[in-house]
Amino acid sequence: MVFEMRMKGSRAIVKSLENENVEVIFGIPGGATIPLFDELYDSSIRTILVRHEQGAAHAAEGYARVCGEVGVCTATSGPGATNLTTGIADAYLDSSPIVAFTGQVATPFLGKDAFQEADTMGITMPITKHNFQLRSVEEIPGVIKTAFTLARTGRPGPVVIDMPKDMQEKEADIKFPKKVDIEGYRPTLKGHIRQIKKAAEMLLDARMPIIFAGGGIIISGAERELYDLSALLQAPVTTSLMGKGAFPEDHPLALGMVGMHGRKAANYAINDADVMLAVGVRFSDRSTGAVSCFAPEAKIIHVDIDPAEIGKNVRVDLPVVGDAKLVLQDLIKLIKESIKKGSRGGKGGRTTAWQEKVKRYIKEFQPRMDYDDIPLHPARVIKEIMGALKPDDILVTEVGQCQMWAAHFCSITRPRTFISSGGLGTMGFGFPAAMGAKVARPDRNVIDIAGDGSFLMNCQELATVVENDIPVVVAVFNNRYLGMVRQWQEIFYDRRYSGVDLGTQPDFVKLAEAFGAEGMRVERPEEIAPAVREAFKSGMPTVIDVMIAHEENILPMVPPGRCLKDIIE
Amino acid sequence: MDDGYILAAMVEDKPGVMQRISGLFRKRNFNIDSISVGSSEKPGVSRMTLTVTGDSQILEQVIKQLSKLVEVIKVTRLDEGEAVTRELALVKIGTRDESERAEVVQYANIFRGRIVDVHKESLIVEITGDRPKIDAFINLVDVYGIKELAKTGLTAMTRG
Ligand SMILES: Cc1ncc(C[n+]2csc(CCOP(=O)(O)OP(=O)(O)O)c2C)c(N)n1
């Protein structure tokens, strides 16, 4: 039913958000968004005032990634909008559904270099799935509905709505559409059945099949199908960074993450495989190493909802465009039929040698984590933290060695419990994203695995979590270095440590306390798990300063541009 | 092998569409030789003709990435053999005297060009055709001195 009411633009915006069941909006107001905030004052939507707009965008993304709903953030025109951009770019590269509302100068001032005017449309065009500038009050509900539809469907991504101030203030007769039709936007969901049939045959003929699962599995909710397919084929599963959580990493067929800092078992298995089923991955260079020697023996089947991903980075033998869940359902059905007809082997004989080999890889290359060193070895810290987490608890990471230690060593078993900035690699992502995650799932424990450098990039959000009672825990892996860059300088630049020494660090315990949060310091292996448990139990935002070795490296590592099997240990 | 391709894109006639498309080409490191745009048979829909160079893998990416833009309704590749391609050029040619002017007018006639402006020291010729024809004309009149040249960029349509 479409009904018409006279109201201000700002009311139409907030009403549209309510219609989309938005429960929270992260942001900071300014001159160009006061009308919006005035309307939010009366709304049931929770407004969380962050302390820097970058925090708002990352929080919206963290929220979106753990619950699968669209995350919403807002900033004023000019500097507010430009502060959002890092978070928008982050969401773009990791295909996260967020909608960002930016203030803009009133339409008569557009293009006049008015106070706090920035070309938000121009700036955000290359880092959004789509963006809009409101040109009339009447179009507001349609634009917002379109924005949410675009953000969450197909390959999700960020959408920006730029709101000139007069569009928020003016009144008009407003209609709220229930549905919108977007002519140039028709994502393909159902895969082409002939292609899927071919995929089934290739997989049934394979002697050494492997499944490479990415974030697309999690986005489409295809974990169950992935699990079943792997069992059906007895095919081992590796994931990208974004795919962590798509397949239980404690499963006997789980190889762990592949790539530059992937598990050795995964890199070797990819090197051996004769057929690869890649689902919801985009073959990032951090996953593939040199593409010329990526999966050199394998025929590659690539399933993705975004046709432009197919053949973009690696050669593909069989493309299937479609939604991961639907395609895998069809694939499983066809494989089962084939097996039942007896025309094909299915599990058993054909792949036994391969299963043995995979098992051997997994066993032989189990990473070591039981270090007793003081200062602490990061692998041990991860082991202890994992020991204090329940399977549904959420682990968020910053960027750098800390991120790769987490990605390499953590065993993640459930979807949407591992949140990391994959594509953009944004230092400062983790803490605000953890905040967003905790808002989405207040019943779960949320911990940010942070580098000291990264944490300082958005530590102002301590004020937000304290003020809004969002009890996230930050474990600062304190090595007093921009560790990842230092590691590259050590390995590739003859130990010439340039611009990486963080010198005298702030006292992270006092820093936390200054904001009204809890601070703790751990120096010994046996202190880690109790500290994490206590932090969770306290119900207080807590920073744990974890004193790790000054110059530990994240290994194994495949040097950039090299083959996955060329591993430095 | 590097080659030129002609694409026709039906796009919504909305502000910023040109920027979206040119931005996409820059961002994806595609080479674009020309863009021309104008109305199509459908109200609210513009038709854009793009000529791009690259290998077939790049061409595939160009088409897929363009198609992903929300305001792009449809992208088709036009096969040069089966398409009519046209470009319009305005050429201002320096002419010092009566005889030079007469020569240029003669050339223009041969090429079915039109003289659209006559001045003491120059003429403007309007010429339409496919690329080789226009290039041939420009080469021919180059000796007189080309003072200004404006080309519209290619526009194209499949026959039949
Ligand atoms: C915003 C941003 N700036 C710079 C970089 C480049 N960079 C990648 S990792 C890294 C070091 C991170 O240091 P820290 O957060 O202390 O983590 P560590 O590597 O020591 O675990 C830097 C500077 C980045 N990824 N993001």
Side-chain angles (χ1 to χ4, degrees), chain A residues 399-402 405 425 427 451-454 457 479 481-485:
Chain A
V399 164
Q401 291 180 311
C402 53
W405 281 317
M427 289 171 70
D452 38 7
S454 296
M457 285 204 182
N479 56 6
Y481 269 127
L482 296 172
M484 185 60 100
V485 180

Side-chain angles (χ1 to χ4, degrees), chain A residues 126 131 306-308 310-311, chain B residues 20 27 42 57 61 64 68 70:
Chain A
N131 62 5
D306 180 355
I310 289 168
Chain B
R20 258 181 232 288
K27 162 170 127 175
K42 265 174 98 178
Q57 200 245 347
Q61 270 295 305
K64 285 173 168 178
K68 255 168 77 169
V70 173

Side-chain angles (χ1 to χ4, degrees), chain A residues 426-460:
Chain A
T426 311
M427 289 171 70
F429 167 85
F431 180 42
M435 168 168 88
K438 185 73 184 170
V439 169
R441 290 277 180 266
D443 52 321
R444 311 253 193 99
N445 294 312
V446 178
I447 187 164
D448 175 31
I449 305 289
D452 38 7
S454 296
F455 178 57
L456 284 175
M457 285 204 182
N458 273 319
C459 65
Q460 77 286 342

Side-chain angles (χ1 to χ4, degrees), chain A residues 14-25:
Chain A
V14 171
K15 183 124 183 56
S16 297
L17 293 178
E18 289 165 355
N19 290 347
E20 296 296 327
N21 297 317
V22 171
E23 43 171 38
V24 59
I25 175 163

Side-chain angles (χ1 to χ4, degrees), chain A residues 152-166:
Chain A
R152 75 157 76 89
T153 61
R155 178 182 186 169
V159 178
V160 166
I161 301 178
D162 200 34
M163 315 171 294
K165 192 172 183 181
D166 51 335

